[in-house]
Amino acid sequence: MTRIAVHEPILQEPARRAEALRRRMTEQGTLVVNLLSSPGAGKTTLLRETALRLSSEYRLGALVGDIATDRDAARLRTAMPAVQLTTGGACHLEVPLVEAGLEQLKGAGTEPLDFLFIENVGNLVCPASFDLGEHLRVVLLSVTEGDDKPQKYPKAFRTAEACVISKTDLLPYLPFSPDSARADARVIRPDLAFFEVSSQSGEGVEAWCGFLVGLRRARVGRP
Amino acid sequence: MHETALIAHLLRRVERELAAAGASRVTALRLKVGALAGVEPALLESAYRDLSPGTPAEGARLDLELVPLLASCEDCGRGFEVERFRFHCPACGSGRTRIVAGEHVILEEIVVAGWQSLGAPS
């Protein structure tokens, strides 16, 4: 009996590929943002509002993960070039799908992008395990979900750098406490940045966009 | 159910390792599953049962060892086990802590049978 010692994460190879993609994106000045949330937390709507504010100054593109349909990409296309990544049943995105989507986006004539938004499949478990080469991982938590989500999905909150509390216009009607959600999440990720946003009223969207622009300057060194 | 995707990555890695070592058949795979790996061991096992037939790992045992989540404090240097995903340092209270173990599924080793060559693995 012989043993081959490996001692490496199963996802080492995908992680290397993600790192190579991140390096390429950094060199060409593209900030890559990976959005995670439960289904229906408002990823598409937030991206649309974000694009409406940033598109006059920046070249934007979006890749949208969906198990079966093209609906989210169709909604986004009114605000920025968007490609649907249909996963055919898979619960998360992986780097090869992102690379294929980037090739398709090239046809839109906006290369190199200033921002690439990746809307992951709606799911707070599986996407948390896969690095897509992003510079920023954001987790959306809508006020209709309950403020105890962070402790239920520790990996998503630990690996995210920012959390957007969405649909805040509904706060008056719900028992959701942004303070509890924040405290709950910061047990897991003490330096998690928080944004409270209503894509309907537009409240908080400006601050969120400002954060993205600042982060792009910091991470990929572009104004 | 990303456990299926993880097992698919695992089986590809095993095939590459076998090819490099000139081995053809696996008798066991030893994995460490971290407390923050984000996987369900039972689902890993069932994905393995579904995907391993027809690969060199067909019939091989899958040994899963659950490992705790360990972190170390960037400020006071204290190492500690993270319980209930509370990442603050239990000694100094700092939030600047770094995971040192328990966030991945790690392929520790492949136990092989049926070496094609007797020489050392290339």
Side-chain angles (χ1 to χ4, degrees), chain A residues 15-169:
Chain A
R16 280 194 198 112
R17 202 161 165 178
E19 196 50 54
L21 177 62
R22 182 160 35 244
R23 211 174 309 124
R24 270 203 317 281
M25 293 294 114
T26 304
E27 279 162 15
Q28 68 173 48
T30 305
L31 186 87
V32 183
V33 181
N34 181 5
L35 277 94
L36 269 57
S37 81
S38 310
K43 294 187 293 299
T44 310
T45 311
L46 175 66
L47 277 184
R48 199 170 173 281
E49 290 305 307
T50 304
L52 291 174
R53 281 165 179 79
L54 294 179
S55 61
S56 58
E57 265 190 82
Y58 300 96
R59 287 162 299 191
L60 312 175
L63 304 176
V64 187
D66 197 310
I67 287 177
T69 77
D70 181 45
R71 286 181 192 168
D72 288 347
R75 278 172 62 205
L76 278 178
R77 269 182 218 120
T78 55
M80 67 179 145
V83 167
Q84 191 79 39
L85 307 176
T86 307
T87 64
C91 49
H92 61 275
L93 297 175
E94 295 194 35
V95 173
L97 263 177
V98 170
E99 288 171 338
L102 270 169
E103 280 304 307
Q104 287 184 58
L105 264 183
K106 276 185 182 162
T110 48
E111 286 285 304
L113 295 171
D114 296 320
F115 290 94
L116 173 69
F117 296 102
I118 304 172
E119 179 180 331
N120 221 308
V121 179
N123 175 338
L124 274 178
V125 183
C126 311
S129 288
F130 295 88
D131 183 352
L132 299 181
E134 71 264 24
H135 297 94
L136 171 70
R137 181 174 292 191
V138 187
V139 56
L140 259 77
L141 175 57
S142 66
V143 301
T144 52
E145 290 174 67
D147 49 28
D148 58 347
K149 272 267 160 80
Q151 280 292 333
K152 291 185 184 171
Y153 301 98
K155 187 155 184 121
F157 284 86
R158 176 69 197 182
T159 58
E161 222 181 314
C163 175
V164 172
I165 295 179
S166 61
K167 309 190 186 182
T168 54
D169 51 296

Side-chain angles (χ1 to χ4, degrees), chain A residues 1-14 16 91-92 94 123 125-127 129-130 151 154-155 158-159 186-191, chain B residues 1-2 5-6 9-10 13 16-18 21 31 36-38 84-88 95 97-99 103-112 115:
Chain A
M1 191 171 66
T2 313
R3 296 162 191 275
I4 302 171
V6 182
H7 305 301
E8 276 188 356
I10 289 180
L11 294 177
Q12 186 83 336
E13 202 45 48
R16 280 194 198 112
C91 49
H92 61 275
E94 295 194 35
N123 175 338
V125 183
C126 311
S129 288
F130 295 88
Q151 280 292 333
K155 187 155 184 121
R158 176 69 197 182
T159 58
R186 283 190 174 149
V187 161
I188 301 168
R189 173 96 190 200
D191 61 347
Chain B
M1 294 314 108
H2 64 303
L6 280 166
H9 282 289
L10 168 70
R13 178 67 190 261
R16 281 203 307 276
E17 293 291 336
L18 289 187
L31 266 53
L36 192 68
R84 292 173 42 239
F85 306 111
R86 296 181 171 277
F87 276 86
H88 285 88
T97 58
R98 189 171 49 83
I99 296 174
E103 64 174 333
H104 299 292
V105 180
I106 292 175
L107 172 58
E108 283 295 306
E109 62 176 16
I110 306 170
V111 183
V112 297
W115 290 80

Side-chain angles (χ1 to χ4, degrees), chain B residues 38-79:
Chain B
V39 302
E40 203 52 64
L43 294 179
L44 270 186
E45 284 166 349
S46 79
Y48 181 74
R49 279 195 300 276
D50 290 345
L51 297 183
S52 57
T55 76
E58 179 165 357
R61 218 176 54 239
L62 184 70
D63 292 332
L64 302 181
E65 181 193 347
L66 304 184
V67 299
L69 182 55
L70 303 178
S72 106
C73 178
E74 305 271 61
D75 287 323
C76 76
R78 161 85 170 262

